C-alpha cells in the first residue's frame, strides 16, 4: 500500500517540480512504446536501455509502461492485423524484411512477429502526437492548474504522508 502512495507522490512531484516538460514527454513516449509491444525480446530491452541512456523521466516512463501494457491487450487484435499487413501485404518492404532477418542480431527483436511489428509501428505513429500532447499538458498544468491541485485533500494527505515517512525513519533509527 505504501509503495503506491510513494509512487503516486513521486509522479505528482515530477509534475509539480521544475523537471523539463520535454523530459517528461519523452519518458511517456518511451513508456508507450515499451508498454504496447510484447516483452521478452531485444526490442523491448533496447527501448529500456534507451530510457537509461537518454535524459528522460524514468518515473513517467514506468507509469506509461503500466498503463499501456494494460491498454495494449485491447489494441492487440488491430495491431496484429496491421503488423501482418506491414510484413506481408506491402511488396515494397519484402526485400527490406528479408535483409533484416538475415542480419546477425535484428531477428532477436522479434520484428517478424506480426504482433510485435504492429504494436511497434503503432508506437512509432503515436510517438510525435504523444510527445507534443504530453508536453502541452505539462505546460498547461503548471501554468493554470498547479495551485488548485495543491489544495486538494489528496495532496494534503500526501504531504502528511511525507511527515509520517520522516517520523517512521526517525523512530526506526539504530
Amino acid at each position: 500500500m505504501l509503495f503506491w502512495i510513494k509512487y503516486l507522490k513521486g509522479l505528482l512531484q515530477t509534475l509539480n517540480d521544475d523537471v523539463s516538460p520535454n523530459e517528461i514527454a519523452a519518458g511517456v513516449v518511451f513508456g508507450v512504446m515499451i508498454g504496447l509491444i510484447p516483452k521478452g525480446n531485444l526490442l523491448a530491452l533496447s527501448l529500456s536501455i534507451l530510457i537509461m541512456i537518454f535524459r528522460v523521466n524514468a518515473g513517467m516512463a514506468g507509469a506509461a509502461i503500466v498503463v499501456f501494457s494494460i491498454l495494449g491487450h485491447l489494441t492487440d487484435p488491430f495491431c496484429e492485423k496491421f503488423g501482418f499487413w506491414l510484413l506481408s501485404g506491402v511488396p515494397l518492404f519484402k526485400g527490406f524484411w528479408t535483409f533484416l532477418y538475415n542480419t546477425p542480431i535484428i531477428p532477436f527483436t522479434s520484428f517478424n512477429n506480426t504482433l510485435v511489428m504492429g504494436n511497434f509501428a503503432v508506437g512509432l505513429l503515436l510517438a510525435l502526437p504523444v510527445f507534443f500532447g504530453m508536453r502541452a499538458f505539462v505546460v498547461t498544468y503548471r501554468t493554470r492548474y498547479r495551485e488548485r491541485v495543491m489544495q486538494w485533500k489528496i495532496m494534503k494527505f500526501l504531504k502528511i504522508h511525507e511527515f509520517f515517512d520522516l517520523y517512521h525513519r526517525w523512530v526506526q533509527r539504530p
Side-chain angles (χ1 to χ4, degrees), residues 25-26 33-34 48 67 88 94 138-139 148 165:
M33 292 179 72
I34 294 172
S48 300
V67 169
S88 64
K94 186 176 182 182
V138 171
V139 169
R148 284 188 232 158
D165 284 345

Side-chain angles (χ1 to χ4, degrees), residues 12-164:
L12 290 172
Q13 186 174 355
T14 300
L15 283 175
N16 289 322
D17 285 349
D18 289 329
V19 178
S20 168
N22 291 335
E23 290 178 26
I24 294 171
V28 172
V29 167
F30 277 111
V32 166
M33 292 179 72
I34 294 172
L36 285 176
I37 62 173
K39 315 315 176 266
N41 55 42
L42 188 60
L43 185 58
L45 179 64
S46 300
L47 289 171
S48 300
I49 290 171
L50 288 176
I51 288 175
M52 293 179 236
I53 292 173
F54 292 123
R55 189 176 177 127
V56 300
N57 192 286
M60 287 297 187
I65 289 171
V66 170
V67 169
F68 280 89
S69 291
I70 295 167
L71 291 177
H73 292 293
L74 301 174
T75 63
D76 279 350
F78 164 75
C79 290
E80 188 166 12
K81 290 177 185 173
F82 185 54
F84 181 78
W85 178 76
L86 285 174
L87 289 171
S88 64
V90 183
L92 179 68
F93 291 154
K94 186 176 182 182
F96 180 66
W97 300 138
T98 304
F99 169 75
L100 284 181
Y101 192 75
N102 290 324
T103 57
I105 297 175
I106 301 296
F108 294 110
T109 62
S110 299
F111 79 92
N112 57 337
N113 182 329
T114 57
L115 186 59
V116 173
M117 177 55 76
N119 279 320
F120 183 64
V122 168
L124 286 176
L125 291 173
L126 290 175
L128 285 176
V130 167
F131 179 82
F132 289 116
M134 189 64 189
R135 188 178 184 286
F137 168 76
V138 171
V139 169
T140 303
Y141 168 78
R142 287 181 179 172
T143 56
R144 293 185 185 171
Y145 302 108
R146 183 188 333 201
E147 297 304 319
R148 284 188 232 158
V149 169
M150 294 304 287
Q151 301 302 318
W152 289 356
K153 289 181 182 181
I154 186 75
M155 296 301 287
K156 292 177 182 177
F157 170 75
L158 291 174
K159 287 179 185 177
I160 291 171
H161 183 264
E162 181 178 324
F163 291 120
F164 174 75

